[in-house]
Amino acid sequence: MLKRTTLFATLAVLGLGTSAYSADLERPRVVQPPKYTPPPPAKKPVIAGWYLRGHIGMSNQRVGSLHNVLFDGVDDLDFLDPGGFSSAPVAGGGVGYRFNSHLRGDITAEYRGKADFSALDRYDFVDDGDPSTWDGTNEYSAKKSEWLLLANAYVDLGSWHGISPYVGAGIGASRNTIHHFRDINVPNEGVAYGGTDSKWNFAWALHAGLGYQITDALTLDVGYSYLDLGDAQSGDIITYEGANTVDNPMHFEDLTSHDFKLGFRYQFGGGYTPEPEYVAYDPAPSYKPPVFK
């Protein structure tokens, strides 16, 4: 009896196991497709916007000519050294606006440091054609500085690997100052001097350079500018004895400069991306029913 009961129990267990295994074989397994996650939105470059700029550099200045009212009483005047300026530091800054990927403009203020000036002439009150009868020489020295205000417009010519060449032009005003003018006449043991004087002039500029995109907002600017600064003059020139019979400042005419500058531009609102990288992705996949395996 016990053996029969054990046999029936064993057959029952085997039967249940077989039924469960058969049920597992017959029940379909549902395989869900992967959950769709939308990609991030495409990156959109910020083109227009306000920016700040700053720069430092060096000037390389020239003077077209010198003139003094007393020159008119000299028959023969010869400049052995027509005069020139030493290099001087410049520093400036401004605010601008980018209109699109090619056009921008800014307003700048710049201080141009003191540049040393020197020149040498010889004169003859009576031009008799004899080079041995020169009456004397004048050795001129002075310093010159400026405040320069410009409204500028630029055209960016494109971008290659983050480098953007540009050209531009500007107009404005320059306050030219002559400091510590000296006129030393060595043969005649004469000295004259002029006080510091300033003069506002119309000014214009031509620009060219390269911008390098460091970040979306920050650009390194390496630039060159040709400047026409107008004229300048010293104070009234008087002798060391304080004598003077006429108002005779020394006039510095047609001042120009070749400037080389290094600066930065920072654009607000994310900055300008000259070569935007858009995220490419397929549209959302169409719905597919579950696959039964």
Side-chain angles (χ1 to χ4, degrees):
M1 184 66 180
L2 179 60
K3 290 183 179 181
R4 184 179 302 174
T5 303
T6 302
L7 178 62
F8 286 154
T10 301
L11 292 176
V13 170
L14 291 175
L16 290 175
T18 304
S19 299
Y21 177 73
S22 299
D24 287 342
L25 291 177
E26 294 175 0
R27 183 183 301 119
R29 292 184 292 111
V30 179
V31 180
Q32 296 291 342
K35 185 179 179 181
Y36 172 71
T37 302
K43 183 179 180 181
K44 296 181 179 180
V46 178
I47 300 299
W50 293 96
Y51 66 87
L52 293 177
R53 60 165 297 164
H55 66 266
I56 58 174
M58 295 296 292
S59 67
N60 185 12
Q61 305 179 66
R62 298 287 185 271
V63 59
S65 61
L66 296 177
H67 184 264
N68 183 279
V69 66
L70 298 181
F71 290 174
D72 299 334
V74 179
D75 286 346
D76 195 4
L77 180 65
D78 180 26
F79 274 90
L80 302 175
D81 178 359
F85 295 95
S86 65
S87 295
V90 300
V95 60
Y97 189 83
R98 174 173 288 283
F99 299 96
N100 53 49
S101 60
H102 294 289
L103 183 63
R104 57 186 171 86
D106 56 41
I107 297 175
T108 58
E110 180 180 84
Y111 176 72
R112 306 169 59 79
K114 292 180 180 179
D116 294 324
F117 173 81
S118 62
L120 173 66
D121 72 11
R122 60 181 179 177
Y123 61 91
D124 191 356
F125 286 113
V126 178
D127 185 7
D128 54 10
D130 184 357
S132 65
T133 61
W134 291 98
D135 293 314
T137 64
N138 292 291
E139 297 181 15
Y140 304 116
S141 65
K143 294 181 181 292
K144 180 177 70 68
S145 64
E146 299 90 22
W147 279 100
L148 179 65
L149 305 175
L150 288 176
N152 307 284
Y154 309 90
V155 176
D156 289 307
L157 303 178
S159 182
W160 293 268
H161 305 289
I163 299 176
S164 302
Y166 66 85
V167 294
I171 58 172
S174 178
R175 186 176 186 267
N176 305 329
T177 301
I178 301 297
H179 311 262
H180 313 306
F181 181 84
R182 296 292 184 270
D183 176 358
I184 300 176
N185 188 316
V186 176
N188 296 322
E189 299 180 350
V191 177
Y193 62 93
T196 299
D197 197 8
S198 300
K199 180 181 179 182
W200 281 100
N201 289 265
F202 172 77
W204 58 270
L206 298 175
H207 310 292
L210 297 172
Y212 177 70
Q213 202 75 25
I214 299 176
T215 68
D216 286 350
L218 186 64
T219 301
L220 173 67
D221 191 320
V222 179
Y224 160 81
S225 295
Y226 172 79
L227 295 170
D228 188 311
L229 301 168
D231 303 330
Q233 68 180 41
S234 70
D236 185 25
I237 299 175
I238 60 177
T239 69
Y240 67 94
E241 297 174 338
N244 186 16
T245 59
V246 62
D247 182 37
N248 65 331
M250 182 64 73
H251 295 270
F252 294 70
E253 299 175 343
D254 301 325
L255 298 170
T256 59
S257 184
H258 300 271
D259 291 359
F260 296 91
K261 297 174 289 187
L262 176 67
F264 292 93
R265 303 194 304 267
Y266 181 84
Q267 183 166 329
F268 296 99
Y272 167 55
T273 305
E275 294 179 346
E277 298 179 358
Y278 291 94
V279 179
Y281 63 92
D282 295 330
S286 58
Y287 172 75
K288 295 180 179 180
V291 178
F292 297 95
K293 294 184 180 180

